[in-house]
Amino acid sequence: MNKTAALKFSRLTTSSQKRALKRITINLASDEAQNLEKYCEQTGKLPIDVIRELIQALP
């Protein structure tokens, strides 16, 4: 991670501080969006929850 990215996200890594929120917009190909929608229908999860769980699972 470069210094700029580390500075931007440094607030997200501190558990003692109030959780900072950052809005992120992603562009998905239509087949990717369909896969996400299908998965959400099958699991009953919201797309934001699916994406958040995937991000939290990153090393």
Side-chain angles (χ1 to χ4, degrees), residues 5-56:
L7 292 174
K8 280 185 179 178
F9 294 105
S10 63
R11 290 178 285 167
L12 297 176
T13 60
T14 308
S15 62
S16 63
Q17 293 179 338
K18 184 178 177 183
R19 187 176 212 178
L21 297 178
K22 172 116 177 131
R23 181 178 301 267
I24 298 175
T25 302
I26 60 169
N27 296 319
L28 298 175
S30 59
D31 61 324
E32 294 169 333
Q34 288 174 350
N35 285 341
L36 179 59
E37 289 173 10
K38 183 178 177 183
Y39 182 80
C40 290
E41 288 175 9
Q42 292 172 347
T43 61
K45 295 181 181 182
L46 296 173
I48 187 63
D49 293 331
V50 172
I51 294 167
R52 186 175 287 122
E53 288 172 6
L54 291 169
I55 291 171
Q56 290 172 350

